[in-house]
Amino acid sequence: MARILSVWCPNWPITTWRRRNPGYDGSGEAPGPLRAFGAPPPEGKDRRTPSSPSGGGGCVASGGGKLAPPFALLVSEHGTRRLAAVDETARALALSPGQKAADAMALVPNLVTFDHDPAADRAALEALCDWCVRFSPAVAIDGDDGLFLDITGADHLWGGEDQMLVDLVARLARWGVPARAAIADTAGAAWALARYGDDLSIAPPGQQRAAIEDLPVAALRLEDAAEAQLPRLGLHRVGQLLALPRAQLAKRFGLATTLRLDQALGMAAEALTFRRPATPWFDRLAFFEPISAPEDLARVAGDALALICQRLEAQGRGAKRFEVVFHRLDGKAYPVRAGLARLGRDARRLAKLIVPKLDKVDPGFGIEVVTVHAWAVEPLAAAQERLDADADATLDETLAPLVDRLVNRLGENRVWRADPFESHVPERSVVRNAPLDPPVVARWDPDRPRPVRLFKRPEAITAIAKLPDDPPMQFTWRGRAHRVRRAEGPERIGQEWWRAGVGETDTGPDRIRDYYRVEDDAGGRFWIYRQGLFGEDETPKWWIHGLFG
C-alpha cells in the first residue's frame, strides 16, 4: 500500500511575494531579491513571524513593532483590476480574492497593492518541489499551492511518519512558509486531511474512510457545480455521500463525483506526475551539525554510496547510474552524478568517480543532508572468479573501470565504439554504441573494404579521368595535386529507396556514386567517388570520402 504526504501552502502568492521582498515595511516599495529556502533574512531587517498554518502568509512587523497596512496582489481580467490574493489583515477587513480593486480601495483606503506574478509563484513552487526531494525522491506539484510526496518506504529515515511530517512543516515555518500537511494511503485522502482535517493528520493504513467521513464535501475536490449543489440538498459531510446509493449519486451529480470518492478511498487509481522519475532506490544521511570541509564531503559521499550498494547487493541487483545530492542549509541542492558502463554496486569504485566532481559543490553555510539515488537498476548476479572464465568477459571487466573514468571525465557522448550497421551507404554503415555493449550481429563485407578514416562529410576535389568509367588519373585536394599510380573500381552505390528522405544532404545518397580506391605516387591511399553519371543534365562531381592509411 502506498503512503502519500500532501503539503498545502495557504495563500501561496502572498507567501512568495513576501519571500521575494524580505525588507518590505508597508511603505509601498518592494525591495529585495528572492530568498532561497532556509536563507536567513537580510541583516538589519526584521524577521517575519509566520501565522498559524491555517492563516496564510503571516503579519509583517515594521521596526517599531507596528503592524503593516493590509496588503493585496492585483491581476487584470478583461480590463478590470481584481484582487488575486490578500493577506490575513485584509481578509479580516472583509476583502477576498476576486473582488474588484476599486471596491476594495473604497472599503479599505489604506490597502497596499502590488501586481501579482503567477510565473514567479510557479517558479517558487517548483523550487519547493525540488527542495522536498530530501524527504522523498517522488514529488509532484499539486495545483498552484501544494505538493504530493510518495513517502512509501522512506519514513523510517526520520523515525516514522509523524516525525517526518513535523520536521517538514517546522522547517517551512522557520523559513516563512506556513504549511499544512497530512499523510494517507491515497492522494485524495491526504489532500482532504491537509486542507480540512486536523493539522498534521495521519490516517492509519487502510483507514482513510474513517479519516475523511466527517470532513466537508469540499474536501473531495469536486467540480464547482456539484460542490455548490450538495450543501443545498443538506449533504454537508463526506460520510453522508458514502451512505447514498452509488447509482443515484452518479446520476444526480455526475460520474466525476463518484470517481473522486473512489480515488479518496483507494478504490480507483489516481496518476501523479512526479517532477522527476520515481525510484525506490533511494537513501539518505542527515547530520547533527552541517559539514563543509572537502574531506567530509568525500567521506559522506562514500558512506551514502555504501548504503545504497548494500541494498542493491542484498536484493541481487546492480545499477548503471548513481546520483549523490548535497542539500545545503538554505535549501539549494547540488547533484553529483556517475555512470557505469556495466551494471555495478561497488561503493569504492563509485566513490572514485564521484569524489573528483565534488569541487563543483558549494557547501555555503554547510551541508545538512545527503541523498543518494540509483537508476537503471537490473538484476545482477554475484561475481565469481573462474578458471574457465570467458576471455572476452574478463577483458570487459578489466576495461570497465577505465571506461567509467573516461566517460565520467569526458562525457557520455565522447566515449563510444564504432559498430557495423546493415547498410551499403557509407554514412549509414556505422553506428555508435557504448564501449562495452554486447557485440552486434552485423559485419562488414570483407570483399568491399572501407577506409580506416571515414570523413564526417565528403570533401570536394577536382579530378581528371577518362570517360566514361575510368578512375581519375590526377586529383587536387586541399590545394595539393596527387598523381594516381594505382586504382581499383568502380564500386557503384545507389540510393536506398526504402529509406528515401532519411538524412539526405546535397552530398548524400540521392544520386549514383562510383567509388574508387586509389593510391598516389607518394603511397597515400584514398577513397574517392564520382557523383552522378555522364550524359546527364549536370556534370558529375568528384569527392574524397576517406583515407585508408
Side-chain angles (χ1 to χ4, degrees), residues 120-448:
D121 293 348
R122 185 68 179 185
L125 190 60
E126 291 175 353
L128 179 60
C129 181
D130 294 337
W131 175 83
C132 283
V133 170
R134 67 184 62 200
F135 293 93
S136 169
V139 187
I141 293 178
D142 172 31
D144 296 327
D145 56 3
L147 300 173
F148 284 126
L149 284 73
D150 188 342
I151 61 169
T152 308
D155 59 289
H156 69 281
L157 300 174
W158 279 261
E161 294 178 345
D162 52 346
Q163 296 187 36
M164 173 191 283
L165 207 60
V166 170
D167 183 72
L168 189 154
V169 174
R171 286 175 181 271
L172 293 178
R174 288 199 302 268
W175 300 345
V177 182
R180 291 173 57 91
I183 297 176
D185 288 347
T186 65
W191 190 96
L193 291 171
R195 287 159 176 78
Y196 296 94
D198 295 333
D199 191 22
L200 304 180
S201 297
I202 299 179
Q207 301 298 318
Q208 57 268 19
R209 182 187 183 99
I212 67 173
E213 60 182 2
D214 290 333
L215 301 182
V217 293
L220 292 176
R221 301 175 292 170
L222 303 177
E223 296 179 351
D224 294 339
E227 186 175 334
Q229 188 179 9
L230 286 169
R232 298 194 193 106
L233 301 177
L235 301 173
H236 300 279
R237 300 293 171 183
V238 175
Q240 294 175 286
L241 295 183
L242 296 175
L244 294 177
R246 288 181 57 86
Q248 296 182 12
L249 187 64
K251 184 177 181 180
R252 185 67 181 271
F253 302 105
L255 293 175
T257 301
T258 57
L259 176 62
R260 286 304 192 186
L261 273 172
D262 291 342
Q263 288 177 341
L265 298 177
M267 299 169 60
E270 181 176 358
L272 299 179
T273 304
F274 296 113
R275 186 160 166 81
R276 58 187 295 166
T279 174
W281 299 100
F282 162 83
D283 235 307
R284 172 182 181 271
L285 286 177
F287 315 116
F288 289 107
E289 294 292 339
I291 62 174
S292 58
E295 56 272 17
D296 291 337
L297 298 181
R299 185 179 68 255
V300 299
D303 294 342
L305 289 168
L307 284 177
I308 198 72
C309 288
Q310 288 173 4
R311 288 184 54 199
L312 290 170
E313 184 175 5
Q315 299 192 27
R317 294 178 178 270
K320 281 192 174 182
R321 299 194 306 276
F322 293 82
E323 181 182 67
V324 180
V325 185
F326 296 86
H327 300 271
R328 291 195 332 192
L329 282 171
D330 61 358
K332 289 186 178 180
Y334 289 87
V336 181
R337 302 176 179 88
L340 300 179
R342 302 173 69 91
L343 289 173
R345 53 178 182 239
D346 187 344
R348 291 185 179 180
R349 177 174 161 193
L350 289 167
K352 292 180 180 179
L353 302 177
I354 290 289
V355 170
K357 301 180 180 181
L358 295 183
D359 56 347
K360 299 179 181 179
V361 177
D362 179 10
F365 291 102
I367 302 295
E368 60 173 346
V369 173
V370 171
T371 57
V372 59
H373 309 257
W375 310 92
V377 177
E378 299 178 15
L380 175 64
Q384 180 178 357
E385 296 293 339
R386 301 187 310 173
L387 295 177
D388 59 343
D390 181 57
D392 293 336
T394 304
L395 178 61
D396 286 349
E397 292 298 335
T398 305
L399 287 176
L402 173 61
V403 172
D404 293 338
R405 289 196 297 270
L406 292 175
V407 168
N408 284 275
R409 290 196 178 190
L410 304 178
E412 187 174 354
N413 296 329
R414 296 191 175 187
V415 182
W416 49 274
R417 183 186 72 204
D419 282 336
F421 181 74
E422 293 184 355
S423 174
H424 62 273
V425 177
E427 293 89 338
R428 296 172 178 165
S429 62
V430 177
V431 293
R432 294 186 178 187
N433 288 327
L436 299 182
D437 275 0
V440 297
V441 178
R443 292 290 185 268
W444 281 300
D445 187 354
D447 296 330
R448 296 180 178 181

Side-chain angles (χ1 to χ4, degrees), residues 460-485:
I461 61 174
T462 59
I464 301 175
K466 296 180 181 180
L467 299 180
D469 294 329
D470 281 11
M473 298 181 295
Q474 180 178 335
F475 66 92
T476 303
W477 174 48
R478 295 181 179 177
R480 180 181 175 184
H482 299 262
R483 184 175 297 276
V484 176
R485 183 171 61 179

